[in-house]
Amino acid sequence: MKNNHIKNIITLCVLSALTACGGSGGKSTTQVTPTPPPVVVTPTGPQVTGVSVIISQADAINDSSHQCHASNSNESGVQFSEVSLQAGIDFSHQHVNGDGILGMSGGVASGDFDGDGFVDLYTLGGDAGSNRLYKNKGDGSFEDVTEFSELSLTAKSSGPAFGDFNGDGLLDLFVGSVGGDDAKLYLNQGNEKFLDITDSSGLDLPGNNFTGTWSDYDKDGDLDIFITHWTDDKNEYYAYFWRNNGDLTFTDVSFEAGINKLGQQDKTFTPSFADIDNDGWQDLLLVADNSQTRVFHNNGDGSFKDITDQNVITDNSGMGSAIGDYDNDGDLDWFVTAISYKDGVEHFGWLTPGNRFYQNQGDGSFIDKTDETGVRHGYWGWATCFNDFDNDGFLDLFHVNGMFGDNIDEQFATDPSRLFMSNGDGTFTESAVASGIDDQGMGRGIVCFDYDRDGDQDLFVANYGQAPKLYCNHGNTNNFINIKLIEKSANNQALGARIYLKTSTMEQMRELRSGNNYTSQNPVEAHFGLASNDAIEQVRIVWPDGNETIVTQVDINQFLTIERS
């Protein structure tokens, strides 16, 4: 909504009783007072230049009766409490036979499927349970609407992902699979019900389909999907890239894209699209096991080039992926979870050097900053995310852990989740237990999101063979702003857009994407911690097509929806 400055200019003419303004008569005299300066009335609300938009804003919810809104004694720190049962999330992930490849599966999808402004969850229950769609009721609790939505599925599901692939403003759903079960594609019909269109979609998927990630990689205005397959099968070919045909069908373009085989066996886990070289095109950061992690540059013509520097990209047993601008320098950095032994025992030989932190040099190349940042030791890591949990303006890191099975060291059955809080100087301090996250579950997927819309980021952990956990963030006195974009193309969520925010003390950047953490995704929105800043100087949006919108006079502690008009 473009707001123009309103200027009220008042000119007063004071006349004698015998004359009209500007006239004269007889010998009467005319007295005219000097014209006062213009009176400028400053407009209220956001001011917009560039591409026109419609802006709506909502206050944070601060209901003191809510179980997650207990006060935090640490005014600038962070404190969590586990509230899954209080929030109505009551199920457990279970498999009839859960060893082997099934032990790496699971996950959760997040997104506002019903358009009410609150983030919902699609959780996986395994083939001994049932997948669940939890509708966020907006009061701190969730409701199981699986049966009504017609999403009931008992299967060896993995890596679900919400994405609006037909551009109607409603989130559709991909559900991956392992162990011989079929992947599924569901169309959101707009009445809180979904329709299974797998058979007609053209998604003919071989073997395991660990996870899916949506992106408009070819900039044709609709969302395509990339699917990973970790497997022991030595097939010659695996279908990764599926291009959206615009008619509810997809075509395998893996050969055309130049990504069709990484090694003798497909060990791909976590795909993430991100513009790592700031050229406006979504590149691909593909985390994989067995030293197969790769960096693919988008050539802008539907194809990709492998630009992996294997002297730097050395995560070896890579699993989870987090992408964000941790040092606020305007480019995207990359954190990869892996396997580590704190005591230095090389139980798996070259597979045990731990997590990796890759700092972007601004041109799409990376250098290893693992030891400088202090995040190497994470046990047996899976899903991870960057997020500003204490709203201080610097991205923190969270990841889950756990593994079991033959020849697996017992420490990994109870290894703890890791919360690396940013110190604001490029280093992190592990703070999980101190922050209330004493979690030794068999973590796989996570969602980092503000489930109760109170202005701080909460955590949902999808465990394997166990119940999930919802950790509510009690917040602090730091300020925030949350921004959601709506594009006018079929890429309704504006995937690939960037949001730059400036205050008097710092500049930050977020890029919108649909994931992936590891078999899981965060909602497509940008959360900015503002520390003690009580004013925002500017919000600059670079839309997927490169056009820009600049918004000023933005209130803090708000949830903004900015729709391109």
Side-chain angles (χ1 to χ4, degrees):
M1 177 175 61
K2 187 171 184 178
N3 296 303
N4 297 314
H5 288 285
I6 302 170
K7 293 184 178 180
N8 294 330
I9 302 176
I10 304 173
T11 304
L12 301 178
C13 293
V14 181
L15 309 176
S16 71
L18 299 177
T19 60
C21 181
S24 63
K27 294 181 179 180
S28 62
T29 61
T30 302
Q31 293 180 332
V32 180
T33 60
T35 301
V39 177
V40 179
V41 179
T42 302
T44 59
Q47 304 299 294
V48 176
T49 57
V51 173
S52 61
V53 296
I54 299 169
I55 300 176
S56 60
Q57 52 189 3
D59 294 328
I61 297 173
N62 291 300
D63 180 2
S64 60
S65 65
H66 190 301
Q67 73 264 6
C68 192
H69 293 161
S71 61
N72 181 3
S73 59
N74 187 340
E75 292 187 354
S76 61
V78 63
Q79 194 69 35
F80 293 88
S81 294
E82 205 284 310
V83 297
S84 55
L85 292 179
Q86 297 95 310
I89 298 175
D90 186 12
F91 79 100
S92 184
H93 177 276
Q94 298 290 336
H95 277 307
V96 175
N97 178 10
D99 205 357
I101 193 170
L102 296 184
M104 300 184 291
S105 65
V108 56
S110 70
D112 182 9
F113 86 91
D114 55 357
D116 66 354
F118 290 87
V119 178
D120 311 297
L121 298 171
Y122 182 77
T123 63
L124 304 185
D127 63 358
S130 176
N131 298 350
R132 310 284 184 94
L133 178 63
Y134 280 103
K135 174 183 170 67
N136 192 328
K137 296 170 65 176
D139 61 359
S141 68
F142 292 83
E143 178 185 4
D144 185 343
V145 296
T146 312
E147 294 298 329
F148 179 82
S149 68
E150 300 182 2
L151 281 176
S152 182
L153 178 64
T154 298
K156 304 179 189 74
S157 299
S158 185
F162 280 115
D164 179 13
F165 70 80
N166 65 339
D168 64 354
L170 301 168
L171 291 181
D172 311 301
L173 179 65
F174 169 81
V175 184
S177 61
V178 296
D181 284 355
D182 294 329
K184 294 290 184 179
L185 184 65
Y186 295 98
L187 182 71
N188 190 331
Q189 300 182 81
N191 54 1
E192 298 192 11
K193 291 181 180 292
F194 289 78
L195 177 67
D196 183 349
I197 64 167
T198 310
D199 291 342
S200 63
S201 70
L203 284 177
D204 182 16
L205 296 168
N208 299 315
N209 302 285
F210 254 88
T211 196
T213 297
W214 299 97
S215 173
D216 183 15
Y217 79 97
D218 52 3
K219 286 196 173 186
D220 65 351
D222 54 32
L223 298 189
D224 315 290
I225 190 167
F226 189 98
I227 300 170
T228 59
H229 307 291
W230 197 103
T231 179
D232 288 326
D233 189 1
K234 294 184 179 181
N235 287 333
E236 291 297 320
Y237 174 71
Y238 306 98
Y240 297 115
F241 259 107
W242 293 86
R243 185 178 62 206
N244 191 333
N245 298 320
D247 58 0
L248 305 185
T249 67
F250 293 80
T251 298
D252 175 13
V253 293
S254 301
F255 275 112
E256 178 183 324
I259 305 176
N260 62 317
K261 192 173 179 64
L262 298 183
Q264 187 179 22
Q265 294 174 318
D266 185 339
K267 297 299 181 182
T268 52
F269 272 141
T270 305
S272 299
F273 287 93
D275 180 8
I276 61 172
D277 57 355
N278 300 329
D279 68 351
W281 290 88
Q282 293 289 288
D283 309 299
L284 175 64
L285 301 179
L286 182 57
V287 176
D289 206 351
N290 290 18
S291 292
Q292 292 185 15
T293 293
R294 293 290 184 270
V295 179
F296 289 98
H297 176 260
N298 190 329
N299 296 321
D301 59 2
S303 70
F304 289 76
K305 179 182 179 181
D306 186 344
I307 61 170
T308 311
D309 182 348
Q310 292 185 308
N311 291 319
V312 176
I313 308 302
T314 58
D315 44 86
N316 298 329
S317 55
M319 288 171 282
S321 182
I323 299 170
D325 184 11
Y326 87 104
D327 48 6
N328 289 337
D329 66 350
D331 54 42
L332 295 172
D333 310 293
W334 187 20
F335 174 74
V336 176
T337 59
I339 303 170
S340 67
Y341 280 79
K342 190 173 184 180
D343 59 9
V345 176
E346 294 187 359
H347 187 77
F348 286 91
W350 55 271
L351 281 178
T352 60
N355 298 329
R356 286 291 184 274
F357 199 107
Y358 302 126
Q359 184 190 62
N360 195 332
Q361 300 304 287
D363 59 358
S365 65
F366 296 95
I367 60 174
D368 190 324
K369 286 281 188 175
T370 305
D371 290 324
E372 291 92 328
T373 54
V375 298
R376 180 180 296 274
H377 181 50
Y379 301 97
W380 196 301
W382 298 101
T384 181
C385 73
F386 273 118
N387 227 316
D388 187 357
F389 294 109
D390 56 0
N391 283 340
D392 68 348
F394 293 94
L395 292 175
D396 312 301
L397 275 169
F398 177 75
H399 76 82
V400 291
N401 301 282
M403 194 54 182
F404 63 95
D406 296 339
N407 299 318
I408 303 296
D409 193 289
E410 292 183 1
Q411 70 171 301
F412 296 119
T414 57
D415 53 359
S417 294
R418 307 289 271 174
L419 176 63
F420 294 104
M421 297 298 297
S422 173
N423 298 316
D425 59 1
T427 67
F428 295 81
T429 298
E430 205 293 307
S431 308
V433 173
S435 300
I437 303 177
D438 189 4
D439 176 28
Q440 297 181 347
M442 198 61 62
R444 292 298 179 267
I446 61 174
V447 179
C448 302
F449 68 140
D450 188 354
Y451 91 93
D452 52 358
R453 290 322 213 196
D454 64 351
D456 48 54
Q457 296 289 290
D458 310 297
L459 289 164
F460 180 86
V461 176
N463 286 316
Y464 177 88
Q466 298 168 339
K469 292 184 177 181
L470 176 63
Y471 289 97
C472 75
N473 186 338
H474 292 294
N476 56 36
T477 58
N478 287 335
N479 297 314
F480 82 98
I481 191 165
N482 185 286
I483 301 175
K484 176 182 177 181
L485 301 183
I486 300 177
E487 178 63 284
K488 63 181 179 180
S489 72
N491 179 10
N492 186 268
Q493 292 180 285
L495 299 186
R498 286 193 170 187
I499 303 174
Y500 297 83
L501 181 142
K502 183 178 180 181
T503 67
S504 62
T505 62
M506 65 176 62
E507 296 185 25
Q508 301 178 60
M509 181 269 287
R510 303 285 186 269
E511 185 176 88
L512 298 185
R513 67 180 67 89
S514 75
N516 189 288
N517 301 323
Y518 175 92
T519 67
S520 53
Q521 64 176 168
N522 296 337
V524 183
E525 55 190 33
H527 178 88
F528 295 88
L530 303 178
S532 60
N533 286 287
D534 58 6
I536 296 171
E537 294 184 2
Q538 176 182 280
V539 173
R540 179 167 66 94
I541 301 164
V542 181
W543 296 94
D545 62 5
N547 288 308
E548 296 190 8
T549 297
I550 295 177
V551 186
T552 57
Q553 295 185 206
V554 179
D555 291 336
I556 62 171
N557 298 333
Q558 295 286 312
F559 291 86
L560 261 60
T561 300
I562 302 177
E563 181 176 1
R564 189 166 174 175
S565 59

